[in-house]
Amino acid sequence: MTNFKINNLKNSNSPYLIQHANNPINWQEWNDGVLNYAREKNKLLVISIGYTTCHWCHEMEKEVFENKEVARFMNEHFVAIKVDREVHPEVDHLYMQSLQLMIKQGGWPLNIIALPNKMPVWGCTFLKAKPWLSALMQIKALFEKDPNSMQEYADTLKEGVSKLQLPNINNKELKKKVDFELLLNKWKNQLDYTYGGDLGIPKFMMPNQHLFLLKYAHIGQDNNLNNYLKLSLKKIEGGGIHDHIEGGFSRYALDQNWHVPHFEKMLYDNLQLINLYHQAYILFQEKSFKKTYKKTLAFIDQQLSDSDYLWFTALDADSLNIKEEREEGAYYTWKKEELQELLKEKYELFASYFNINPKGYWENGNYILFKSQSISSLAKSFNLSKLEAEKQINECLQTLKASKAKRAKPQLDDKKMLSLNAMAITTYLNVYKTTQEQPLLMRCQKAIDRILQLNYDGNKLYKELHEHQDKKAGSLEDYAFFIQALLSMHEVSLKPIYLKLSEALIQYCFKNFKKDADIFFYYSEIQNEDLFIKPIALRDNVVPSANAIMSENLHKLALLTGKTAYQEHFEKMQDSISSDFMHSPSDYSQWLQNQLKRDYPFFLVKTNENLWSAFSKRKALINFYRTTNTSQKSTKNTVKEEVLICTEKACLPPVYNTQEAIKLLLGNNY
């Protein structure tokens, strides 16, 4: 029998929960046992949600959760629960929506005070010990004095969250072609045309938003938007948010110039940025974009990958400095004297390129590398050829990389989450389509095999990729992103097993993540116990909405199988969300990418492997999938593979080389 009067996190599988196992607070894991205990004892809940590499979670732990006075009060009057947001995304999603309604902002750590029935009544992000303790005392006193008023407030909040769960369906807007020009005119008001990204600070990269804008700008031939995107991508890759030495990107920047990052590196950010820079390279042929996505791939392979072909979750912002103290950015920043000693005669060149000057200064004698000039401009300033300047800068970066290897590394969150691993597979395959680099394909095949071995019982999926017995049922994110990965693997391999498994999993979702009359899928299986309402996620967050990915999956399955039920449900989902994405387009970038497939010509390209690679490299092609080839054409000396291009209703006449196929597509208003 569990003793809820002690800290029970030491045996957790979550690195985040283990970080809190020695706190004086009697933390519990999120489970039915502790929730039932809180109800039986009629105790308020403290639900504290974060993740392993969260800097402000660490700060609140030091400031608040290691404070003995705070611990005494919490242990006596509350049931305290620690939640890893990556293990329980449905809990995080619902309480984050609640917090945003209460205080008009969100973030991590996400701290919620809830009634014994799990309904939230108060929340905050980071707080210091005194205001935290004061808030707990006031809430505890109110609960004892007037529990009915607290329940009334909780009911009102529940109603507000319930409204956020579902789209604002406007029947007049259903089944109408989306006015992308009107939608983009509204969106463009929030774009930063000087520094890139969105206006305001902090600046998040939001790669899926930019990916939609990139696709629309190309299809819609919007040159102004193309220029904005080039500017954004150049600013981001040149900024301190980009690790110029080892590759990879931090989560966000604290300033408008992308100079000072919040140093944690998340797998999901870097995967989406690979997709973005890869697609941008295809469209713009900017060499730096190719270098950036390849360097980011290398970073993931070297620092976020295991020996079993799977991927870890994140790297911390904090690490030990030379004083053996945890410090944000210690692994990534440089003292001027240190650089001078390491780089010697190349220092002046390097300092000019990476702003080791007042512009590049951060704090405490530390500099963050960021670029504000081109290599051509640098070469001219130092009377060097461009090739020689580039060579010397690369030598400097290798010197610093060797020096960094001696530093204490940031903590690794070594959880292997199914949804993130599935995103990685899709990302690697997107690159493989254009490069035909076999190691990428082999890695993905082995990753899928390992996932099926660890996480699929022939019926359902599980959330974490490990061999422990206490596996948690997969959420909609896990199914949506894994189906997407399987369909991507089918597209490059044409092996029927991947299509068959995709169908089996999507049928499981129809039976277990929605009721018959529902249009959208719930975050968790319908038979699972509700939190205080059953969560549905429709807006994009740090990753695209799982419902939007499911919509894309349905569209692809409809085309590949010819089953009208998939197409009909895809259209219902898109129609039902259309009012929302017209009013707030930046929150629905994945839905909008799906909509491009409806409102602009879309093609199935039936071709062999060699021509497929050539097709994928062509910037004219965005709205297309590959499927099985149909036939060959024999001549006296050769056998030519047919390229058959089909719309959703008919196939165009066959052609026998890529150039003819491209002309055919362009001739059909693509």
Side-chain angles (χ1 to χ4, degrees):
M1 185 151 179
T2 305
N3 178 5
F4 294 112
K5 294 186 177 181
I6 62 171
N7 186 318
N8 282 313
L9 299 186
K10 64 181 179 181
N11 295 320
S12 172
N13 294 323
S14 161
Y16 174 63
L17 268 55
I18 291 171
Q19 283 177 352
H20 293 268
N22 294 318
N23 294 165
I25 294 167
N26 296 335
W27 290 117
Q28 310 299 317
E29 291 198 54
W30 178 275
N31 56 49
D32 290 341
V34 70
L35 296 168
N36 291 336
Y37 172 78
R39 272 197 302 269
E40 290 167 8
K41 299 295 183 182
N42 196 35
K43 282 198 166 189
L44 291 167
L45 297 165
V46 173
I47 302 164
S48 183
I49 304 170
Y51 55 99
T52 312
T53 60
C54 168
H55 170 72
W56 288 107
C57 299
H58 303 331
E59 291 299 307
M60 190 156 181
E61 179 186 17
K62 286 188 290 187
E63 173 71 28
V64 179
F65 299 141
E66 291 179 352
N67 183 298
K68 291 183 179 178
E69 183 184 0
V70 168
R72 276 195 299 271
F73 191 80
M74 286 179 63
N75 292 341
E76 183 176 354
H77 299 291
F78 294 83
V79 173
I81 302 176
K82 261 289 169 193
V83 178
D84 186 327
R85 66 173 291 267
E86 290 153 348
V87 176
H88 288 287
E90 73 288 355
V91 177
D92 175 65
H93 171 76
L94 208 52
Y95 286 124
M96 184 64 78
Q97 285 194 322
S98 303
L99 182 70
Q100 288 167 338
L101 279 178
M102 286 188 278
I103 66 172
K104 309 303 180 189
Q105 66 181 50
W108 298 280
L110 164 56
N111 297 295
I112 293 290
I113 308 299
L115 299 175
N117 60 13
K118 297 174 285 191
M119 295 176 68
V121 292
W122 184 85
C124 69
T125 53
F126 173 83
L127 272 188
K128 289 183 174 289
K130 276 192 175 181
W132 172 258
L133 189 55
S134 175
L136 294 187
M137 288 175 173
Q138 292 177 57
I139 293 165
K140 177 248 179 189
L142 182 59
F143 181 62
E144 291 175 348
K145 180 182 177 182
D146 192 2
N148 290 335
S149 68
M150 292 187 77
Q151 184 61 58
E152 287 173 10
Y153 175 78
D155 290 337
T156 302
L157 186 61
K158 176 182 176 180
E159 185 179 346
V161 174
S162 297
K163 288 179 181 177
L164 286 178
Q165 294 288 296
L166 295 173
N168 178 28
I169 297 176
N170 182 343
N171 290 324
K172 292 181 181 179
E173 293 184 13
L174 292 183
K175 298 184 179 178
K176 286 186 177 180
K177 196 170 183 179
V178 170
D179 187 338
F180 279 100
E181 187 174 347
L182 177 66
L183 179 149
L184 264 296
N185 285 339
K186 180 181 294 187
W187 192 339
K188 286 175 181 178
N189 291 328
Q190 70 190 58
L191 303 180
D192 186 338
Y193 294 94
T194 303
Y195 297 100
D198 286 346
L199 291 166
I201 53 175
K203 291 180 86 79
F204 287 85
M205 294 164 289
M206 304 307 291
N208 206 56
Q209 289 183 9
H210 282 80
L211 193 58
F212 162 71
L213 294 174
L214 194 71
K215 291 179 178 181
Y216 172 76
H218 175 69
I219 294 176
Q221 298 181 334
D222 189 328
N223 290 329
N224 289 333
L225 194 53
N226 273 329
N227 291 335
Y228 157 79
L229 289 161
K230 286 181 189 177
L231 169 78
S232 291
L233 294 175
K234 285 284 188 182
K235 289 284 188 181
I236 291 169
E237 72 177 6
I241 197 168
H242 183 204
D243 185 343
H244 299 282
I245 297 172
E246 293 182 318
F249 292 85
S250 300
R251 251 194 99 219
Y252 60 87
L254 301 172
D255 63 300
Q256 62 184 2
N257 204 28
W258 307 97
H259 172 211
V260 180
H262 185 48
F263 291 92
E264 60 187 325
K265 290 181 176 179
M266 315 302 293
L267 177 63
Y268 57 72
D269 281 326
N270 283 281
L271 291 171
Q272 292 177 91
L273 284 160
I274 289 169
N275 275 331
L276 176 61
Y277 276 92
H278 174 250
Q279 187 69 61
Y281 171 67
I282 293 170
L283 294 178
F284 300 135
Q285 292 296 296
E286 288 274 354
K287 289 182 180 179
S288 70
F289 295 167
K290 181 178 182 180
K291 182 179 178 181
T292 294
Y293 86 71
K294 283 189 167 291
K295 197 167 183 177
T296 309
L297 266 175
F299 154 72
I300 291 175
D301 283 342
Q302 291 160 14
Q303 298 193 40
L304 290 177
S305 297
D306 75 354
S307 58
D308 220 6
Y309 307 103
L310 299 176
W311 292 268
F312 300 124
T313 301
L315 284 169
D316 208 326
D318 301 356
S319 57
L320 297 178
N321 59 24
I322 56 174
K323 297 178 182 177
E324 297 292 308
E325 298 169 341
R326 285 179 65 89
E327 179 185 344
E328 184 183 9
Y331 183 70
Y332 299 103
T333 57
W334 300 89
K335 307 286 187 189
K336 182 177 181 179
E337 298 75 20
E338 185 181 14
L339 292 171
Q340 288 172 327
E341 182 179 342
L342 287 166
L343 302 179
K344 298 182 172 53
E345 72 279 359
K346 297 189 183 82
Y347 169 76
E348 292 299 333
L349 179 77
F350 185 87
S352 178
Y353 193 48
F354 284 109
N355 286 289
I356 311 304
N357 53 38
K359 190 190 291 187
Y361 183 76
W362 177 35
E363 62 182 21
N364 302 324
N366 291 316
Y367 291 82
I368 298 170
L369 308 185
F370 87 103
K371 297 188 288 189
S372 58
Q373 64 174 312
S374 68
I375 198 77
S376 298
S377 172
L378 178 75
K380 187 176 180 181
S381 299
F382 282 81
N383 198 27
L384 296 170
S385 69
K386 181 181 174 183
L387 195 63
E388 179 59 26
E390 198 163 20
K391 176 175 174 288
Q392 289 194 33
I393 290 294
N394 286 335
E395 288 171 353
C396 290
L397 292 173
Q398 289 305 311
T399 299
L400 298 186
K401 187 174 182 179
S403 178
K404 272 180 79 177
K406 301 170 187 175
R407 295 179 175 183
K409 293 187 180 299
Q411 182 179 349
L412 172 70
D413 183 340
D414 62 359
K415 290 195 311 298
K416 290 172 280 189
M417 310 303 295
L418 174 55
S419 61
L420 299 182
N421 274 258
M423 283 179 66
I425 292 166
T426 302
T427 298
Y428 277 50
L429 290 175
N430 285 342
V431 176
Y432 169 75
K433 289 173 191 176
T434 61
T435 65
Q436 295 293 292
E437 293 172 6
Q438 290 302 307
L440 294 173
L441 178 61
M442 291 175 61
R443 168 87 186 262
C444 293
Q445 287 173 328
K446 288 176 179 178
I448 288 175
D449 290 345
R450 187 65 176 142
I451 288 169
L452 292 174
Q453 179 188 4
L454 288 172
N455 255 47
Y456 183 56
D457 63 7
N459 181 42
K460 66 189 295 182
L461 295 170
Y462 296 90
K463 177 161 291 297
E464 294 178 77
L465 297 165
H466 56 62
E467 294 176 333
H468 304 132
Q469 296 303 308
D470 59 336
K471 291 189 175 182
K472 296 175 176 64
S475 66
L476 185 65
E477 278 187 350
D478 300 299
Y479 284 86
F481 285 108
F482 191 50
I483 292 167
Q484 183 187 49
L486 291 170
L487 290 172
S488 293
M489 181 57 82
H490 174 263
E491 189 174 21
V492 301
S493 71
L494 298 180
K495 292 181 179 178
I497 183 62
Y498 298 117
L499 183 59
K500 183 179 178 181
L501 186 52
S502 299
E503 276 210 89
L505 292 174
I506 215 156
Q507 287 301 325
Y508 184 89
C509 291
F510 271 105
K511 291 176 184 175
N512 295 282
F513 283 86
K514 64 183 286 299
K515 298 168 186 174
D516 289 343
D518 292 335
I519 294 173
F520 299 104
F521 297 85
Y522 290 106
Y523 219 118
S524 56
E525 294 190 28
I526 52 178
Q527 63 267 32
N528 291 0
E529 184 185 358
D530 292 352
L531 294 164
F532 56 95
I533 55 176
K534 197 73 179 170
I536 294 176
L538 298 178
R539 294 182 180 218
D540 293 330
N541 201 300
V542 291
V543 298
S545 155
N547 265 290
I549 296 294
M550 287 296 281
S551 180
E552 180 194 56
N553 292 338
L554 287 164
H555 178 256
K556 197 167 189 177
L557 277 168
L559 291 168
L560 296 176
T561 66
K563 295 180 180 178
T564 57
Y566 294 143
Q567 181 66 20
E568 288 169 0
H569 202 82
F570 161 73
E571 291 176 356
K572 281 182 185 177
M573 293 178 81
Q574 291 294 134
D575 287 339
S576 298
I577 202 72
S578 60
S579 294
D580 288 65
F581 65 57
M582 285 302 297
H583 294 130
S584 181
S586 61
D587 292 325
Y588 297 92
S589 56
Q590 185 60 49
W591 293 103
L592 289 168
Q593 288 183 62
N594 298 346
Q595 197 67 28
L596 289 176
K597 297 175 173 65
R598 291 184 77 186
D599 291 359
Y600 287 85
F602 188 90
F603 300 93
L604 279 174
V605 178
K606 302 184 179 185
T607 182
N608 70 1
E609 189 72 24
N610 295 328
L611 291 178
W612 169 244
S613 175
F615 256 80
S616 299
K617 291 175 184 175
R618 294 304 294 258
K619 65 181 180 180
L621 295 171
I622 289 179
N623 267 4
F624 74 112
Y625 293 140
R626 179 200 185 201
T627 187
T628 312
N629 193 21
T630 53
S631 64
Q632 297 176 333
K633 178 181 180 181
S634 298
T635 64
K636 288 183 180 179
N637 301 315
T638 61
V639 176
K640 291 186 177 181
E641 291 284 351
E642 176 181 86
V643 182
L644 191 61
I645 299 167
C646 302
T647 66
E648 294 180 17
K649 296 180 180 177
C651 290
L652 304 175
V655 292
Y656 296 91
N657 65 59
T658 304
Q659 288 69 31
E660 289 181 50
I662 295 287
K663 287 179 184 177
L664 191 59
L665 287 173
L666 295 174
N668 279 272
N669 299 316
Y670 181 69

